[in-house]
Amino acid sequence: MTRTTPARPISVEAVFPELAAHRGRTTRLHPRPGRPGMYDSHVGGPMLWPEDEPWPVCPEPHHPETEGYAPDAIRSARAAGAWPPSRPWPGAGTPGADGPVPFTGLAQFFRRDIPGLAAGPGGADLVQLFRCPRTHGPHLERRYHLRWRRAEETERAEAFLSAPPVIPLLRWEHELPEPCVLHLEEVDTYPWAEDDTLPAPLIVRIDAWDDAQEAEHGRGAPSYQGDLSIPPGWRVGGFPSWASTGPLDIGCESCTAPMRLLLTAGGDEMDADSHSWVPLEDRDPSSQGKASIRGGQSVAQPTRLRFGRDRDLHVFTCPADPVHPPQWILS
């Protein structure tokens, strides 16, 4: 099934013609619960992983835990619309006693499905995203991992891993991704308007326009950040949103080149300020606004994952040399 972003409530370039020079494109992934296969682009599905290749693990010491959630219990609870029961953590309170921990596979994307996906090292056209299911240090930091591949070469492997290593307990229920198929759609996007992301006089005008819209139409009025610039949810390319951190200069730690946004992993596909982006296919045409949205959690939080304070993970790569390490920004 296709997914179609509704026309923006206001033509942003009609209001601010100079934004045409800053227009970009992003591919909205529109994940929805389903049964993706290892040869598909997906969130939460089986990875295309040669059987003779070691699964990635996080070797760093992990924050000690007291209780957690078993993956099977999480799946059963989701099917029943309930919350899973927690269990005591084996060896609770012993730092680093568990040793290396297998990464959780979050998503994989093929460039043949998503032409806007930047190429990886050596022209790699398949990227796989992983996260350590445990936290690190007193601030409960996360560790992520990217694996780049040449899809055609990988698909010629003699055998593939039937299932990743079992992780007995997860710290939170939202560590386990819900298998989701993708419904790809390219849309126009515009930079976040703050600090030096756009010319200063233009940002002043955008802020004034937002204030005037709210004064005339109330808090539900369209806003630049919420309705006209950057869609919420999982997407490839385009511009990062900076809701909690403010704009950051992301330079490559190897060569100092400005890094580009590879992809954004979003915890929510909509929130109170961005429900205008929900696709037409997920709406009741007889209703208006937020009340028109159908599908419940399968539309609002389809992958069940969480990222950072505002639930967005931005993955940046170096355009000068994709071999250089990526950077992970939570915003």
Side-chain angles (χ1 to χ4, degrees):
M1 181 179 181
T2 59
R3 289 295 190 276
T4 309
T5 297
R8 297 299 77 218
I10 294 172
S11 171
V12 68
E13 290 185 21
V15 181
F16 306 104
E18 58 267 56
L19 276 173
H22 302 277
R23 184 196 314 134
R25 295 287 279 177
T26 188
T27 302
R28 301 192 70 187
L29 303 184
H30 296 306
R32 296 293 184 270
R35 299 182 64 182
M38 70 171 65
Y39 298 99
D40 300 324
S41 295
H42 62 65
V43 175
M47 295 291 194
L48 184 69
W49 198 269
E51 189 177 48
D52 60 357
E53 183 176 328
W55 187 261
V57 298
C58 180
E60 299 182 31
H62 298 94
H63 184 81
E65 307 294 350
T66 57
E67 61 181 9
Y69 301 93
D72 285 346
I74 295 173
R75 295 186 185 97
S76 297
R78 288 177 180 175
W83 189 260
S86 62
R87 299 181 185 178
W89 200 281
T94 306
D98 52 356
V101 174
F103 276 95
T104 298
L106 300 186
Q108 71 175 17
F109 304 125
F110 291 86
R111 203 174 184 195
R112 65 194 180 206
D113 298 326
I114 311 172
L117 180 68
D125 56 354
L126 165 60
V127 64
Q128 297 170 318
L129 174 65
F130 297 84
R131 178 170 68 181
C132 178
R134 302 282 301 279
T135 55
H136 303 75
H139 302 296
L140 306 182
E141 297 172 352
R142 311 310 302 271
R143 300 291 183 264
Y144 293 90
H145 175 69
L146 274 190
R147 181 64 58 91
W148 286 99
R149 302 181 182 279
R150 287 179 176 269
E152 186 177 359
E153 293 177 2
T154 306
E155 289 169 339
R156 291 200 297 264
E158 293 184 1
F160 298 97
L161 191 68
S162 58
V166 174
I167 302 170
L169 289 182
L170 300 173
R171 187 179 194 274
W172 289 297
E173 182 272 348
H174 60 251
E175 293 301 317
L176 184 69
E178 185 73 14
C180 288
V181 297
L182 307 183
H183 307 275
L184 307 173
E185 178 195 23
E186 287 194 0
V187 299
D188 289 336
T189 184
Y190 301 88
W192 188 262
E194 187 179 356
D195 293 347
D196 59 355
T197 58
L198 288 168
L202 178 55
I203 292 179
V204 170
R205 290 178 55 217
I206 289 173
D207 289 342
W209 181 84
D210 278 346
D211 292 342
Q213 287 291 302
E214 183 173 342
E216 182 176 356
H217 302 289
R219 297 193 62 176
S223 68
Y224 177 80
Q225 309 286 42
D227 300 283
L228 307 180
S229 59
I230 301 171
W234 287 74
R235 55 194 184 274
V236 166
F239 303 106
S241 57
W242 299 113
S244 62
T245 63
L248 301 174
D249 291 326
I250 311 300
C252 178
E253 295 179 350
S254 298
C255 71
T256 72
M259 301 189 87
R260 66 184 170 198
L261 180 65
L262 176 71
L263 63 93
T264 295
D268 288 346
E269 292 291 300
M270 58 165 285
D271 58 32
D273 296 323
S274 62
H275 63 269
S276 71
W277 293 96
V278 174
L280 296 173
E281 292 80 3
D282 297 314
R283 293 177 177 271
D284 179 352
S286 66
S287 299
Q288 297 293 320
K290 191 174 181 180
S292 70
I293 298 167
R294 302 178 296 185
Q297 196 163 29
S298 67
V299 169
Q301 301 166 338
T303 70
R304 302 294 189 101
L305 295 168
R306 284 286 180 269
F307 302 93
R309 287 175 293 176
D310 281 319
R311 299 174 294 279
D312 274 358
L313 169 71
H314 298 311
V315 183
F316 290 87
T317 56
C318 178
D321 191 342
V323 172
H324 293 167
Q327 291 198 42
W328 322 90
I329 305 296
L330 293 169
S331 178

